[in-house]
Amino acid sequence: MAKGRSSTVFFCSECGYESSKWMGQCPACKSWNTLVEEQAAGAALSVRSGSRRGSIPEPVSVAAVSAGEAGRVLTGISELDRVLGGGMVPGSLVLVGGDPGIGKSTLLLQVCRNLSQSGHKVLYISGEESLSQIKMRALRIGEFSDNLLLLCETDLSVISEVIRKHKPETVVIDSIQTMYADTVTSAPGSVSQVREATNILMNIAKKDTVSVFIVGHVTKEGTVAGPRVLEHMVDTVLYFEGDRFASYRIVRAVKNRFGSTNEIGVFEMRGDGLCEVANPSEYMLNGRPEGESGSCVVCAMEGSRPMLVEVQALVCRSNFGIPRRQATGIDFNRVNLLMAVLEKRIGLKMGDCDAYLNVAGGMKMNEPAIDLGIALSVVSSFKNRPLPSDMVAFGEVGLSGEVRSVSLAQNRVAEAVKLGFTKIVLPSANMKGITGSYDAQLISVANVSEAIDKCC
Ligand code: TYD
Ligand code: MG
């Protein structure tokens, strides 16, 4: 009896927290009613500890290990290569997460097409679509070579056999939630199945030096279904962001063992698949109103790349006792804080005003460097005075209204100049870091009131 009891464990279906007894609330992520009972992974564990017996491995000197950097394989999609840190590393495990219908299968099929055309042997395994459905999608995307093999299968022991037999260099698993390993008895998509399946795939990737892309669906909270466990098992985690209704998609690296994180790739969904957007700033600023109040262009860093976006504010008299404040694409609390700074330090009486803020294009920005732009757009809308249309602002705003320095100011200035902006408002503390001459007027400001005096 005791054995039976100990062979099941409880997993949180949101974060993967493991517990030996059931609880109403997960102690790790604090969500309610998410603990589900599953078989303990006893069988798999004994296999793993079994392999440890036998000879003891010798540690090697770091100097004797080759880096393998030269072995990077380009996917032929440069936006994706950048997010991966300069191409795909052979033997790596990449998790691609995102909402349903956002373009995960499409992007990976495009990767398969490019790789197979350059002579790479690729195996695309789908547990969700039939061969003819994949073919229909492939026809929209373009020409495919014979090097791309398709397989509809969900049993991982079969999949391992097929990989061993055909020896592909790259494997795509679409999606991890449909796969099952027969060593675990719970249903596909459950935490222990997903974890075990990933483990098997990781062993295949490392042992046979196969690059594996895993598609993972996300929960409504925005994490890969079930497991954060899965996130720390794989080498790279890429997330698709963006509105399903807007045509652009952003692929962001949130974890990367082979490159920097928070790097983004921008794509546009077209009739023939995802196309790269080489100059995202230009794309985001498309259709910007000129000479209207409440609009300010800001420069935020997305990974190593500066990106210009338009912040829009609409401040108007409230018809109700409690004014409404709403923010899309930026943190609501940050907007409230900046409006409080404007009230207290500048003396703008906005207590009876509604305020709506929006980042045009549907981007989500959370870098403090956009503070100054938010403040200026609010003031511009409140005073109904447009800001110069060729102006870009960046800088972090502190609680005393000071404008603090931000990182990589030089890159931001260069990007703004490249896109033809001629007035750049920046923190005065950043001025000494800017070298070289630019075809633009650099307006250095020490606090918000100075910025308002100089701009609107
Ligand atoms: P898909 O890659 O199937 O999403 P996921 O695998 O993340 O669930 O993307 C499907 C969406 O993309 C669907 O709404 C149709 C659209 N789409 C295009 O607009 N153009 C195309 O060429 C393709 C293949 C899909
Ligand atoms: Mg899909």
Side-chain angles (χ1 to χ4, degrees):
M1 224 27 231
K3 189 165 182 288
R5 225 182 296 134
S6 65
S7 68
T8 66
V9 284
F10 294 86
F11 284 108
C12 170
S13 56
E14 288 297 327
C15 71
Y17 178 84
E18 190 179 328
S19 160
S20 58
K21 65 178 195 327
W22 188 84
M23 282 176 277
Q25 188 187 25
C26 169
C29 68
K30 308 284 181 240
S31 44
W32 287 92
N33 258 340
T34 52
L35 261 72
V36 288
E37 184 173 14
E38 280 176 15
Q39 292 291 324
L45 262 178
S46 63
V47 173
R48 261 171 265 148
S49 55
S51 66
R52 278 274 166 267
R53 276 174 227 144
S55 67
I56 298 167
E58 266 312 298
V60 289
S61 144
V62 67
V65 182
S66 62
E69 189 68 28
R72 286 210 190 237
V73 179
L74 296 182
T75 61
I77 302 176
S78 58
E79 289 287 299
L80 183 66
D81 285 334
R82 189 210 355 265
V83 176
L84 288 170
M88 204 169 71
V89 175
S92 65
L93 198 61
V94 181
L95 173 67
V96 181
D99 291 336
I102 202 157
K104 301 179 294 294
S105 309
T106 306
L107 180 68
L108 290 179
L109 203 57
Q110 283 175 284
V111 170
C112 290
R113 180 198 58 187
N114 293 352
L115 289 175
S116 62
Q117 274 172 352
S118 60
H120 217 71
K121 197 164 174 188
V122 187
L123 176 61
Y124 184 97
I125 302 167
S126 180
E128 297 189 338
E129 293 165 302
S130 69
L131 288 176
S132 59
Q133 280 172 326
I134 301 173
K135 176 73 184 182
M136 269 162 60
R137 187 199 301 272
L139 285 178
R140 297 179 68 167
I141 291 173
E143 294 277 308
F144 278 76
S145 102
D146 294 343
N147 279 327
L148 174 61
L149 305 173
L150 300 179
L151 176 71
C152 290
E153 185 55 66
T154 53
D155 184 347
L156 274 165
S157 53
V158 177
I159 289 174
S160 318
E161 281 306 312
V162 173
I163 293 176
R164 219 158 284 143
K165 181 164 166 231
H166 290 272
K167 297 198 175 22
E169 288 152 282
T170 302
V171 174
V172 174
I173 304 283
D174 189 1
S175 66
I176 192 72
Q177 274 88 7
T178 57
M179 300 294 150
Y180 74 93
D182 44 19
T183 45
V184 180
T185 49
S186 49
S190 62
V191 180
S192 47
Q193 271 296 359
V194 168
R195 196 190 332 218
E196 184 60 19
T198 310
N199 211 351
I200 293 175
L201 291 168
M202 185 168 68
N203 281 339
I204 294 175
K206 303 291 169 208
K207 215 184 288 160
D208 306 340
T209 329
V210 183
S211 309
V212 182
F213 285 93
I214 299 175
V215 173
H217 294 294
V218 297
T219 58
K220 56 185 186 306
E221 276 76 31
T223 50
V224 170
R228 264 188 223 146
V229 254
L230 211 147
E231 287 186 4
H232 74 234
M233 282 163 80
V234 300
D235 296 313
T236 305
V237 181
L238 308 181
Y239 273 116
F240 262 96
E241 283 176 9
D243 219 329
R244 267 184 69 188
F245 305 105
S247 62
Y248 82 92
R249 306 279 192 269
I250 287 170
V251 177
R252 185 186 298 274
V254 292
K255 165 185 175 177
N256 196 352
R257 284 186 183 148
F258 313 115
S260 70
T261 49
N262 280 328
E263 205 62 70
I264 63 164
V266 185
F267 296 91
E268 188 184 351
M269 185 59 99
R270 300 231 186 108
D272 56 350
L274 286 163
C275 302
E276 300 170 55
V277 176
N279 196 338
S281 299
E282 208 169 301
Y283 184 73
M284 290 295 161
L285 293 178
N286 238 338
R288 181 167 64 97
E290 302 211 350
E292 293 292 336
S293 65
S295 155
C296 181
V297 177
V298 300
C299 187
M301 295 300 294
E302 288 290 348
S304 61
R305 183 158 59 168
M307 203 148 135
L308 301 183
V309 287
E310 183 201 353
V311 172
Q312 299 181 317
L314 184 65
V315 181
C316 52
R317 283 287 303 277
S318 177
N319 292 319
F320 302 102
I322 304 169
R324 280 188 66 157
R325 303 276 158 93
Q326 204 170 315
T328 317
I330 32 184
D331 184 13
F332 170 75
N333 295 318
R334 195 81 202 159
V335 171
N336 276 338
L337 185 148
L338 289 168
M339 290 185 71
V341 169
L342 291 175
E343 287 229 33
K344 175 89 178 171
R345 306 287 170 194
I346 317 290
L348 297 178
K349 295 277 166 275
M350 294 187 289
D352 59 349
C353 291
D354 288 344
Y356 303 92
L357 274 107
N358 182 33
V359 176
M363 277 284 293
K364 287 191 183 63
M365 310 250 100
N366 49 17
E367 216 210 338
I370 65 170
D371 286 357
L372 185 58
I374 298 174
L376 286 175
S377 66
V378 167
V379 174
S380 156
S381 179
F382 180 70
K383 294 189 171 176
N384 214 6
R385 245 184 265 160
L387 296 163
S389 60
D390 56 350
M391 186 193 92
V392 172
F394 63 85
E396 182 182 346
V397 174
L399 289 186
S400 9
E402 81 278 21
V403 176
R404 311 174 73 103
S405 66
V406 296
S407 62
L408 300 166
Q410 175 114 12
N411 300 24
R412 299 181 206 248
V413 171
E415 174 78 2
V417 172
K418 200 172 90 191
L419 281 149
F421 286 88
T422 52
K423 293 193 178 69
I424 301 167
V425 185
L426 72 169
S428 48
N430 274 126
M431 276 308 276
K432 60 178 181 299
I434 311 269
T435 53
S437 64
Y438 291 99
D439 262 350
Q441 185 191 355
L442 299 182
I443 306 170
S444 74
V445 293
N447 51 49
V448 182
S449 94
E450 195 182 341
I452 294 171
D453 289 344
K454 287 184 177 172
C455 307
C456 70

